[in-house]
C-alpha cells in the first residue's frame, strides 16, 4: 500500500509539472526511488497510472470533513479551492482530466464522481429541509461540478489559481439565495474564516 501511494504521489508531481505527454515512466520511477517491477506490480501502464491519479480526487478531500448537508457541500468546494493551490496530487488529477486527448481517452469518471459527491450532500440537505422547493439534488450537484470545473480553469489562466478561493466564496454568495431556505442561508458559513478552519 505504501509503495502504491509513493508511486501515485511521484506520478502526480511529475504529471503536475510536465503534463501527461511530457512525463515518462522513468521520470516517475526516479522521483519515487522505485524499480520498474514495483510500478508494474501496481499499475499496468502510464495511462493506468494517470487514470488512478485522475480518479483520486474526492478521496483527497471528502474524508477530511465532518459537516453535513449544504455546509458539507460548501466545505468540499472551499477545501478543494485551497488544495488545488498546494497539493500536487489534486492539481495533477485536474490537469490530467482536462488533458485526456493526449492520452487518447475520454473518461468522464472524475466529473461523475464529483457530481455524485455533490448530489449526496444535496440529497442530505433536501431530506433535512435545507433546500427550497423544486431544487433537484441531481441537477444542482451536476451544475456545481460544472461551475467548479470552469471556475478553476478561468482562475488558472487569470491568476495561477491564487484567486480560486475568493471565486468559490463568491459562487456560493450568488448561488445560495436561489437554492437554500432563508434560515439555512443565515447559518451556512461562506467566509475566509471558514476556509482557515478547514485548512488549519
Amino acid at each position: 500500500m505504501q509503495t502504491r501511494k509513493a508511486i501515485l504521489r511521484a506520478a502526480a508531481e511529475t504529471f503536475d509539472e510536465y503534463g501527461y505527454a511530457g512525463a515518462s515512466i522513468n521520470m516517475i520511477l526516479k522521483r519515487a526511488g522505485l524499480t520498474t517491477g514495483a510500478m508494474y506490480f501496481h499499475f499496468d501502464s502510464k495511462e493506468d497510472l494517470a487514470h488512478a491519479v485522475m480518479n483520486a480526487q474526492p478521496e483527497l478531500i471528502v474524508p477530511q470533513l465532518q459537516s453535513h448537508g449544504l455546509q458539507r457541500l460548501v466545505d468540499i468546494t472551499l477545501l478543494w479551492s485551497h488544495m488545488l493551490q498546494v497539493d500536487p496530487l489534486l492539481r495533477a488529477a485536474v490537469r490530467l482530466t482536462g488533458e485526456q486527448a493526449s492520452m487518447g481517452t475520454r473518461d468522464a469518471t472524475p466529473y461523475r464522481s464529483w457530481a455524485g459527491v455533490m448530489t449526496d450532500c444535496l440529497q442530505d440537505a433536501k431530506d433535512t429541509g435545507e433546500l427550497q422547493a423544486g431544487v433537484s439534488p441531481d441537477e444542482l450537484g451536476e451544475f456545481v461540478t460544472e461551475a467548479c470545473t470552469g471556475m478553476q480553469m478561468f482562475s488558472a489562466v487569470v491568476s495561477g489559481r491564487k484567486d480560486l478561493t475568493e471565486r468559490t466564496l463568491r459562487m456560493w454568495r450568488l448561488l445560495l439565495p436561489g437554492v437554500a431556505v432563508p434560515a439555512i442561508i443565515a447559518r451556512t458559513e461562506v467566509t475566509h474564516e471558514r476556509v482557515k478552519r478547514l485548512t488549519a
Side-chain angles (χ1 to χ4, degrees):
M1 192 64 166
Q2 287 304 114
T3 301
R4 188 180 191 279
K5 284 184 179 178
I7 295 168
L8 264 184
R9 179 61 61 175
E13 291 171 357
T14 308
F15 288 136
D16 180 39
E17 206 170 324
Y18 299 101
Y20 181 80
S24 70
I25 292 294
N26 286 339
M27 292 164 69
I28 293 166
L29 291 174
K30 185 176 180 182
R31 194 177 291 242
L34 294 166
T35 65
T36 305
M39 196 210 85
Y40 285 113
F41 179 79
H42 294 281
F43 302 99
D44 294 333
S45 62
K46 186 174 88 165
E47 183 180 335
D48 186 35
L49 188 49
H51 279 280
V53 171
M54 276 170 45
N55 293 321
Q57 295 180 54
E59 69 190 49
L60 296 172
I61 294 171
V62 176
Q64 298 188 47
L65 302 171
Q66 304 300 319
S67 45
H68 301 280
L70 266 178
Q71 184 67 65
R72 184 173 180 80
L73 179 57
V74 170
D75 288 349
I76 286 169
T77 62
L78 293 178
L79 187 53
W80 164 86
S81 73
H82 169 77
M83 288 181 64
L84 259 178
Q85 299 172 65
V86 299
D87 188 329
L89 182 49
L90 184 59
R91 274 200 311 269
V94 168
R95 178 173 181 168
L96 289 168
T97 302
E99 286 185 356
Q100 291 188 63
S102 65
M103 297 158 55
T105 61
R106 194 168 72 180
D107 181 6
T109 303
Y111 297 123
R112 296 195 190 287
S113 294
W114 273 126
V117 169
M118 309 290 189
T119 297
D120 287 346
C121 294
L122 287 160
Q123 187 60 56
D124 183 31
K126 181 179 181 178
D127 291 345
T128 53
E130 295 183 1
L131 299 183
Q132 292 180 24
V135 174
S136 162
D138 288 328
E139 288 183 359
L140 184 54
E142 194 163 281
F143 174 77
V144 172
T145 303
E146 295 162 353
C148 287
T149 300
M151 185 167 58
Q152 69 82 17
M153 292 173 69
F154 189 100
S155 177
V157 173
V158 170
S159 71
R161 296 199 182 102
K162 290 185 177 71
D163 66 355
L164 184 55
T165 298
E166 185 57 52
R167 290 179 184 281
T168 305
L169 290 166
R170 182 181 65 182
M171 176 185 77
W172 285 116
R173 287 195 297 267
L174 292 169
L175 191 56
L176 279 176
V179 300
V181 299
I184 296 303
I185 297 171
R187 78 174 195 220
T188 301
E189 292 186 72
V190 184
T191 63
H192 285 287
E193 290 69 27
R194 182 72 177 183
V195 177
K196 287 176 185 174
R197 289 201 301 278
L198 291 171
T199 58

